[in-house]
Amino acid sequence: MFYREAGQFKTSYYADQAIFPILQDRIGVAVILFVAFTLPLVASDFFVGSVMIPFLVFSLAAIGLNILTGYTGLISLGTGAFMGVGAYACYKLTTIFPNVPIVVHILSAGFFSAAIGVIFGLPSLRIKGFYLAVATLAAQFFLQWCFVRIPWLYNNNASGAIEVPVRTLMGIDVTGANATPEVRYYLILAIVVGMTWVASNLVHGRIGRQWMAVRDMDIAAELIGIRLLNTKLLAFAVSSFYCGVAGAVMMFLWYGGGEAADAFNINQSFNILFMVIIGGLGSLIGSFFGAAFISSFPTLLKFGLPLIGIHIGSASVEHLTHFAIGALIIAFLIVEPHGLARLWQIAKQKLRVWPFPY
Amino acid sequence: MADMPDLLIQTLWDGFVAGMLYALIALGFVLIFKASGVFNFAQGIMVVFAALTLVGLHEFGINAWLALLLTLGVMLVLAVAVERVVLRPLVNQPDIILFMATIGLTYALIGLGEFIFGGNPKVMITEELFLPRGSIDLNVFGGFVSLQKLDIAAAVIAFVMIAALSLFFQYTRIGRALRAVADSHKAALSVGISLEQIWVIVWFTAGVVALITGIMWGARSDVSFALQIIALKALPVLILGGFTSVPGAIVGGLIIGIGEKVGEFYWGPLLGKGIEAWLAYMIALTFLLFRPQGLFGEKIIERI
């Protein structure tokens, strides 16, 4: 009754192609943004630092993978490694050019990741499907090996880990021990909002349509004049860019340094793939849903089960998480292959015609 | 010079054994792919799961051979469960969806295995299963080579399994039915092949292969969840050999196993050790660029 356009009044293609055609949607997005930006004023440091920051970082990575797997149909098991490239590139950049603002480093780290992504995407013209999945596994293991075995990447320090130096932005510490969760949260939020906006424009435009054409049937796409290699490589580049930025943000603004070989291993790749599947393949909002779901699921189990009277140890929680996520993946693939995003869409559609169901 | 170990031949032998074991894991993949068109990512964890069940049951005080039988029973239950819960609702879905479902299956099995048996490594029961222990030293022209008896047994068993399975696929009624299902679910159904039965048979066979692989791998190191990362090595093997070829699995396994060990031994120190982790994938990736369907794979012809 309230959530509806009153008739078809569109007079231009511009209006017809609007991403949020309904006024309430636009208000909704504004409210979400407002809440996101005012959250640190009301929420505790713990919530901001251990719930919201991981959620945003994973959302960014999930958007990256969604562009490749959801929109272009190229399955990748190397997401973790591409994130790692971003983290190490950012680390090298910030130690070589200490005076440049960290934001510039984080964003340019994405370009290094994109370049590596393109290199490993090169075989994608000749090979597809599972074969490509194995090719991305090659990237995963090769890059992970590089992170451990090439001392130049971590500046030859003894611990073999990234030690995030203190960097300030306009006089405020944004990395290092003194950076408050609020500051880091705002920086991540700004990056995520900006990059989501770019991604939204990409997937709704000409490039996005090419990606989707390649996904739906690559030979047909080639016949109608889409250059396969360029399109696939662009998808790899953009996807790796997002993953690289996510990795840099993860290392610098969330972890604050550490063993990157562990943070960017194959389990991380699977984790992000799960976010994309559960959230919804080929949907930006799905990336957020999936990231929220998977990143909060272990916490929910840990604190939710005691509430309903089941007491289990923390090791069991981890096992249970593995099992539940595996089962959920299968359940989603069977029941709702388009993930949480599709459920959201159905809910909106129902609301739109409410109270008259037809 | 007769006392010096002959390093080249030793390395080749190590590579040969590793290759045979990779081939065994790859065989599990090939079986399922050949017979249902599903790329079963969960084969690695099935290996771990089977070995864990065996050792776990033995720890409860059950006789080793009885435990082996019970484990076979567990694998049968698993096969039926997979067919019922995962495959049947996903008939005729795109391959990639089925692939992702097996990744989900992998995680479910990891969770289940950890939940039942705990996450700690266990020691495989080698003596109880009469697997040979110790090693033989062979004198060859350059020096001596030390061969683990267990490795010899593994190679023999792997070879027998692979031979038996290729014969099974080529010459039996069920083998033909399996190949029909892989070609097209719909066509197989329409000529009266029971998809459910075939899937249970093939997943059970893959489970048996997984159990044997698990015993062999477990006897060489411990039985732990780390094994499933090693099992991912079977993927480059598959790519080299072709997804649908049983002999391909063995040839690919040997190429990868030997290439990897020789590479690690001769070039590893130059690059800083541990290149085993990715060498196999790089060999496979380079290979893919020249022959995308693998050595023995069927050429994929696509139409609109």
Side-chain angles (χ1 to χ4, degrees), chain A residues 95-156:
Chain A
T95 46
I96 295 172
F97 308 105
N99 296 321
V100 179
I102 187 78
V103 183
V104 176
H105 287 320
I106 287 176
L107 292 179
S108 30
F111 288 104
F112 285 88
S113 186
I116 303 280
V118 167
I119 292 173
F120 280 98
L122 273 176
S124 67
L125 186 67
R126 290 211 62 176
I127 60 182
K128 43 191 83 160
F130 317 125
Y131 289 92
L132 190 65
V134 177
T136 55
L137 262 186
Q140 171 72 45
F141 286 110
F142 179 66
L143 293 170
Q144 211 180 321
W145 176 84
C146 290
F147 299 152
V148 182
R149 301 287 176 176
I150 302 181
W152 179 80
L153 283 176
Y154 47 87
N155 287 351
N156 299 306

Side-chain angles (χ1 to χ4, degrees), chain A residues 75 126-128 130-131 134-135 137-138 141-142 145 149 219 223 266-267 270 274 277 319 322-323 326 333-334, chain B residues 41 85 89 99-101 104 107-108 111 114 235 239 243 271-274 278 281-282 285 288-289 292 302 304:
Chain A
I75 192 161
R126 290 211 62 176
I127 60 182
K128 43 191 83 160
F130 317 125
Y131 289 92
V134 177
L137 262 186
F141 286 110
F142 179 66
W145 176 84
R149 301 287 176 176
I219 302 179
L223 283 178
I266 187 157
N267 289 330
F270 283 135
F274 291 167
I277 296 176
H319 305 160
H322 277 147
F323 179 73
L333 285 174
I334 292 169
Chain B
F41 196 81
V85 180
F99 172 62
M100 289 185 196
Y107 265 67
E114 283 175 335
L235 299 177
I239 282 191
F243 279 146
L271 292 169
K273 294 264 169 67
W278 52 266
Y281 292 92
M282 285 301 171
L285 194 55
L288 271 182
L289 293 175
E302 288 189 77
I304 295 186

Side-chain angles (χ1 to χ4, degrees), chain A residues 9-79:
Chain A
F9 294 125
K10 287 158 191 149
T11 51
S12 65
Y13 285 118
Y14 184 76
D16 197 36
Q17 289 169 344
I19 295 168
F20 302 113
I22 300 174
L23 179 68
Q24 283 87 339
D25 270 347
R26 291 194 287 272
I27 295 172
V29 170
V31 169
I32 289 170
L33 281 178
F34 178 76
V35 169
F37 276 98
T38 50
L39 191 71
L41 304 179
V42 283
S44 66
D45 272 9
F46 172 78
F47 183 76
V48 171
S50 341
V51 178
M52 289 310 288
I53 288 182
F55 159 62
L56 287 175
V57 169
F58 283 131
S59 306
L60 202 55
I63 291 175
L65 185 60
N66 220 334
I67 285 173
L68 192 63
T69 304
Y71 283 97
T72 324
L74 306 166
I75 192 161
S76 165
L77 302 175
T79 324

Side-chain angles (χ1 to χ4, degrees), chain A residues 32-40 43 45-65 83 106 180-197 241-251 253-255 268 272 275-276 284-296:
Chain A
I32 289 170
L33 281 178
F34 178 76
V35 169
F37 276 98
T38 50
L39 191 71
D45 272 9
F46 172 78
F47 183 76
V48 171
S50 341
V51 178
M52 289 310 288
I53 288 182
F55 159 62
L56 287 175
V57 169
F58 283 131
S59 306
L60 202 55
I63 291 175
L65 185 60
M83 289 171 75
I106 287 176
T180 57
E182 282 88 10
V183 173
R184 291 183 281 136
Y185 172 79
Y186 276 123
L187 191 55
I188 297 178
L189 186 64
I191 292 174
V192 170
V193 169
M195 286 178 67
T196 308
W197 180 69
F241 182 87
Y242 276 73
C243 292
V245 172
V249 165
M250 181 176 174
M251 219 13 123
L253 300 175
W254 172 20
Y255 276 30
Q268 191 71 274
I272 292 169
M275 289 173 193
V276 172
L284 285 182
I285 186 119
S287 309
F288 285 95
F289 286 150
F293 186 82
I294 300 266
S295 68
S296 65

